[in-house]
């Protein structure tokens, strides 16, 4: 299986050039895109140019970093200077950012080769990538099923082998849930660990950028590269970034693992439950001490989230007014007419719905009942986690209540789509790191994900438990059969 | 819970023009979603402080010094309509 380290070895031993590796990724993209539709924009020319620069450095005897020459996919809500950044929305369909996001700048500085911009739910609002106004992404394990969302393009691209690693963003589960649906590893780091500068804002108090890869090690390498303080993001944490690969030791002796009881209730697919229970038993066999943990307010997360996130979104998306960038309708009569009709044409139904919820929740007379109440419930959920982490090192639960569903299954009922984020949302509300990794398959061959949640800035613990589990299993070695 | 007039009012606040069909759909859907939110009233939060951000960072400040932006024209270039160094918009007030 392809991994960052393996490709790095091939590069420094001159078995393959970065251009050959980039060309192979681009060929795979060309072959699979008619089926997967993971990418909104493929940046072939730029990728080969970046790869050539890496080859020049190798030829000159320069030392290269682990990410140099590695093909990377980037979610299309991360601004890339000179490359169209659409957020899968008509309103930004032709937007070419005049500046670069901090994370993509860090990738470029590390010599990574960006092969393209990946599909997402419009403005990252959704759990299936079906709200994209550009195209529908398929799940590489079964083309009739959704890849999850909102970072569905980034997850499908890695699972399908179109790139080695990718970046997504996670506001309520948008990295972990598609990672689970596509059978790969995805991590949402602690809020503030990775700079959000240049990430198109959805819900600013929850949004966080993170990596997708086939293995825990590749996720650890990529996170180490993109994490770190950034003066351009005032919520960015000024902390030392450790070498996360140091924690990749397959030993769980004495590690305390809590199982969140409330995630095993109604609505959980029995096949998902079985796979996750078996995974927990394996953690025990590996030396972990398993404890049942109760987070009684966990289940209120969805209601709190669907007040807080749309409220913040309604404010953040006010900037799309047809004045400074993005689309504008023709023949407007006056300014208000231009605003209302531009936004009516530019936004899709899910984005409009969330703007409406948020505007309502923040409007005069309702603020205390909705927004303030939700923020107080957020405190209670955070307290549940704080109490749990007094007893255990990490928490585990299913990443999603089901495996990937069929395209179209939930698009008619918005509320049923919101419920797919049940297991992931509380982690965003508390700002904690969470990772999903493959832990089995259901009887129809769709991957199941195990979520590992760590305390604030304890990505090290999440990596250690995840790595130990991965090394003891072979789920990550399986690939979808795509011809 | 939510009637059509309220939906219209919220849409105006959000600067969104809705079709009659959208008004109807949103009236039903938003009512269902607001109903779902009612479960939060099961929790007593009378003595709970709100959380505005998950991880606290103390106020971040910097010196208030002007820094010329090097790529000014690239920003103006993104505008759907401009005139010289200005963003151009349709007229703000109608004569009638």
């Amino acid at each position: 299986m392809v991994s960052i380290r393996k490709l790095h070895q091939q590069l420094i031993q001159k078995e393959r050039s970065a251009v050959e590796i980039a060309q192979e990724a681009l060929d795979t993209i060309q072959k699979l895109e008619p089926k997967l539709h993971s990418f909104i924009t493929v940046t072939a020319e730029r990728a080969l140019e970046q790869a050539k620069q890496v080859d020049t450095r190798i030829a000159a005897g320069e030392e290269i970093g682990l990410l140099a020459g590695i093909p990377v996919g980037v979610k299309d809500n991360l601004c890339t200077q000179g490359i169209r950044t659409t957020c899968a929305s008509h309103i930004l369909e032709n937007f070419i950012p005049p500046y670069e996001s901090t994370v993509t700048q860090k990738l470029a500085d590390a010599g990574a080769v960006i092969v393209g911009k990946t599909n997402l739910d419009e403005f990252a609002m959704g759990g299936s990538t079906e709200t994209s106004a550009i195209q529908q992404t398929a799940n590489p394990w079964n083309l009739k099923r959704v890849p999850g969302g909102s970072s569905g393009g980034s997850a499908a691209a890695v699972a399908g082998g179109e790139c080695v690693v990718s970046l997504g963003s996670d506001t309520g589960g948008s990295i972990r849930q598609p990672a689970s649906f596509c059978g790969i590893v995805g991590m949402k780091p602690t809020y503030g660990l990775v700079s959000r500068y240049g990430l198109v804002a959805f819900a600013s108090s929850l949004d966080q950028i993170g990596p997708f890869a086939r293995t825990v090690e590749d996720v650890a390498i990529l996170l180490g590269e993109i994490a770190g303080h950034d003066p351009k993001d005032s919520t960015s944490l000024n902390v030392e970034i450790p070498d996360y690969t140091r924690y990749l030791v397959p030993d769980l002796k004495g590690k305390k693992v809590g199982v969140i009881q409330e995630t095993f209730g109604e609505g959980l697919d029995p096949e998902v439950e079985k796979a996750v229970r078996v995974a927990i038993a394996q953690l025990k066999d590996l030396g972990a001490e398993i404890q049942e943990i109760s987070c009684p307010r966990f289940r209120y997360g969805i209601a709190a989230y669907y007040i807080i996130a749309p409220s913040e979104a309604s404010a953040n998306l006010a900037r799309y007014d047809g004045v400074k960038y993005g689309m504008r309708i023709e023949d407007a009569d006056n300014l208000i007419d231009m605003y209302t009709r531009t936004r009516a044409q530019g936004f899709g139904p899910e984005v409009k719905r969330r703007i409406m919820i948020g505007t309502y929740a923040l409007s005069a007379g309702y603020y205390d009942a909705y927004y303030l109440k939700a923020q107080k419930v957020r405190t209670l959920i955070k307290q549940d986690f704080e109490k749990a982490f007094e007893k255990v090192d990490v928490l585990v639960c299913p990443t999603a209540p089901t495996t990937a569903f069929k395209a179209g299954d939930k698009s008619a009922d918005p509320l049923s789509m919101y419920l797919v984020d049940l297991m992931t949302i509380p982690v965003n509300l508390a700002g904690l790191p969470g990772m999903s990794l493959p832990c089995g398959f259901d009887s129809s061959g769709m991957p199941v994900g195990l979520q590992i949640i760590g305390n604030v800035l304890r990505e090290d613990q999440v990596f250690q438990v995840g790595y130990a589990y991965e090394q003891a299993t072979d789920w990550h070695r399986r690939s979808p059969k795509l011809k | 819970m939510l009637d059509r007039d309220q939906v219209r009012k919220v849409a105006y606040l959000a600067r969104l023009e809705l079709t009659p069909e959208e008004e109807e759909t949103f009236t039903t859907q938003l009512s269902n979603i607001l109903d779902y939110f009612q479960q939060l009233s099961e929790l007593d939060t009378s003595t709970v402080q709100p959380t505005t951000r998950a991880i606290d960072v103390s106020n971040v400040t910097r010196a208030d010094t002007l820094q010329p932006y090097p790529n000014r024209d690239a920003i103006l270039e993104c505008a759907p309509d401009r005139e010289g160094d200005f963003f151009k918009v349709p007229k703000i007030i109608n004569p009638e």
Side-chain angles (χ1 to χ4, degrees):
Chain A
M1 191 178 61
V2 178
S3 70
I4 292 175
R5 247 180 235 289
K6 201 164 156 186
L7 290 172
H8 180 71
Q9 283 306 316
Q10 292 174 343
L11 282 170
I12 57 173
Q13 284 164 10
K14 296 181 181 157
E15 290 167 24
R16 287 171 86 191
S17 69
V19 168
E20 280 166 15
I21 291 169
Q23 193 56 58
E24 189 187 44
L26 293 168
D27 290 346
T28 309
I29 289 171
Q30 203 177 17
K31 196 176 77 180
L32 295 183
E33 272 309 281
K35 289 176 181 169
L36 291 183
H37 309 286
S38 319
F39 286 90
I40 291 175
T41 305
V42 177
T43 50
E45 217 171 291
R46 192 144 156 168
L48 291 170
E49 187 50 49
Q50 283 173 324
K52 208 178 285 170
Q53 284 172 21
V54 173
D55 284 335
T56 309
R57 283 169 54 201
I58 296 170
E62 272 182 55
E63 212 171 293
I64 57 159
L66 277 173
L67 269 189
I70 304 297
V72 183
V74 172
K75 189 175 182 179
D76 208 22
N77 61 352
L78 288 162
C79 286
T80 40
Q81 189 170 6
I83 299 172
R84 189 166 79 115
T85 300
T86 68
C87 285
S89 179
H90 286 311
I91 213 157
L92 287 179
E93 209 164 349
N94 297 308
F95 173 58
I96 296 173
Y99 70 104
E100 189 79 21
S101 73
T102 294
V103 285
T104 50
Q105 186 60 55
K106 282 181 180 238
L107 288 182
D109 293 346
V113 172
I114 295 177
V115 291
K117 305 293 296 287
T118 57
N119 196 24
L120 63 151
D121 280 296
E122 186 177 1
F123 281 102
M125 297 177 187
S128 65
T129 312
E130 289 170 292
T131 74
S132 166
I134 315 281
Q135 62 195 16
Q136 300 295 296
T137 298
N139 190 309
W141 293 90
N142 180 334
L143 300 177
K144 291 195 171 65
R145 306 226 180 188
V146 300
S150 67
S151 313
S154 290
V158 169
E162 296 181 308
C163 52
V164 179
V165 292
S166 63
L167 291 183
S169 65
D170 189 315
T171 305
S174 284
I175 290 174
R176 289 157 291 157
Q177 186 254 27
S180 169
F181 279 16
C182 290
I184 58 170
V185 188
M187 184 185 231
K188 181 204 91 75
T190 300
Y191 181 81
L193 188 71
V194 178
S195 167
R196 291 182 294 113
Y197 179 75
L199 168 68
V200 177
F202 159 16
S204 306
S205 82
L206 301 160
D207 297 341
Q208 188 60 195
I209 299 164
F212 285 100
R214 296 285 301 276
T215 63
V216 174
E217 184 185 34
D218 283 359
V219 164
I221 293 169
L222 185 51
L223 180 62
E225 209 65 63
I226 60 170
H229 181 247
D230 179 12
K232 290 172 179 165
D233 172 2
S234 61
T235 60
S236 161
L237 299 175
N238 204 343
V239 293
E240 187 111 0
I241 305 302
D243 173 4
Y244 293 114
T245 60
R246 269 195 328 191
Y247 305 106
L248 306 179
V249 283
D251 178 18
L252 293 184
K253 265 180 210 79
K255 195 65 75 186
K256 294 191 180 76
V257 175
V259 179
I260 307 174
Q261 290 314 290
E262 286 77 7
T263 59
F264 289 90
E266 204 187 325
L268 180 63
D269 181 327
E271 292 195 72
V272 171
E273 169 159 8
K274 197 178 148 206
V276 172
R277 295 269 190 212
V278 170
I280 292 165
Q282 276 173 296
L283 292 175
K284 195 178 172 197
D285 290 345
L286 291 166
E289 291 171 26
I290 310 291
Q291 279 183 47
E292 310 252 294
I293 291 286
S294 174
C295 293
R297 277 80 60 99
F298 196 88
R299 70 184 180 88
Y300 295 97
I302 293 183
Y305 174 88
Y306 278 98
I307 294 170
I308 293 169
S311 295
E312 294 183 12
S314 71
N316 274 327
L317 272 63
R319 72 190 60 171
Y320 304 103
D321 57 4
V323 175
K324 302 174 294 301
Y325 41 73
M327 67 157 271
R328 173 194 289 190
I329 52 117
E330 305 280 329
D331 63 55
D333 194 38
N334 58 61
L335 192 63
I336 296 275
D337 181 52
M338 192 275 279
Y339 290 155
T340 57
R341 284 169 51 215
T342 294
R343 290 162 65 80
Q345 276 188 33
F347 293 136
E350 184 58 31
V351 174
K352 286 180 189 170
R353 194 152 37 238
R354 298 211 194 181
I355 290 174
M356 292 287 289
I357 298 169
T359 306
Y360 178 80
L362 293 177
S363 63
Y366 297 104
Y367 180 87
D368 285 7
Y370 291 105
Y371 191 65
L372 192 62
K373 178 80 185 183
Q375 285 187 316
K376 288 179 173 181
V377 173
R378 188 174 184 179
T379 304
L380 296 176
I381 292 167
K382 219 177 142 186
Q383 287 170 353
D384 279 0
F385 279 121
E386 282 163 4
K387 238 173 106 191
F389 284 117
E390 283 170 13
K391 296 184 208 143
V392 297
D393 300 311
V394 297
L395 291 164
V396 294
C397 66
T399 305
T402 66
T403 57
F405 45 87
K406 289 194 184 80
D409 260 13
K410 291 183 197 285
S411 23
D413 179 9
L415 198 52
S416 74
M417 188 71 89
Y418 296 172
L419 299 179
V420 305
D421 297 333
L422 177 74
M423 323 279 194
T424 46
I425 276 175
V427 181
N428 296 77
L429 290 171
L432 305 173
M435 181 165 79
S436 178
L437 73 167
C439 74
F441 289 83
D442 70 8
S443 52
S444 55
M446 299 310 289
V448 179
L450 172 73
Q451 182 175 216
I452 305 172
I453 304 162
N455 206 347
V456 175
L457 289 173
R458 293 313 300 268
E459 278 78 6
D460 58 320
Q461 304 261 22
V462 176
F463 282 132
Q464 193 183 339
V465 175
Y467 183 76
Y469 175 77
E470 181 188 67
Q471 293 307 300
T473 56
D474 70 349
W475 307 118
H476 62 290
R477 291 184 215 285
R478 302 201 192 176
S479 299
K481 288 179 185 64
L482 274 160
K483 291 265 162 56
Chain B
M1 271 211 58
L2 199 67
D3 61 36
R4 207 154 160 164
D5 277 346
Q6 280 173 297
V7 167
R8 258 187 225 127
K9 190 185 153 206
V10 174
Y12 179 73
L13 291 174
R15 298 290 184 268
L16 276 175
E17 186 184 74
L18 299 184
T19 64
E21 294 76 36
E22 281 178 319
E23 278 178 15
E24 200 180 312
T25 318
F26 281 156
T27 305
T28 319
Q29 288 178 342
L30 298 188
S31 292
N32 288 342
I33 293 164
L34 293 177
D35 267 348
Y36 183 81
F37 293 163
Q38 281 313 306
Q39 62 177 272
L40 294 184
S41 61
E42 294 163 16
L43 294 170
D44 178 10
T45 52
S46 51
T47 59
V48 180
Q49 290 298 311
T51 296
T52 48
R53 54 181 69 187
I55 313 289
D56 256 328
V57 186
S58 54
N59 286 338
V60 179
T61 57
R62 58 165 171 78
D64 187 16
T65 46
L66 277 180
Q67 286 176 22
Y69 186 74
N71 212 358
R72 192 160 165 271
D73 208 59
I75 290 181
L76 284 158
E77 270 303 308
C78 291
D81 199 5
R82 66 182 275 200
E83 199 172 291
D85 281 353
F86 298 94
F87 296 114
K88 199 174 171 189
V89 294
K91 60 177 174 276
I92 295 174
I93 300 165
N94 273 340
E96 61 267 25

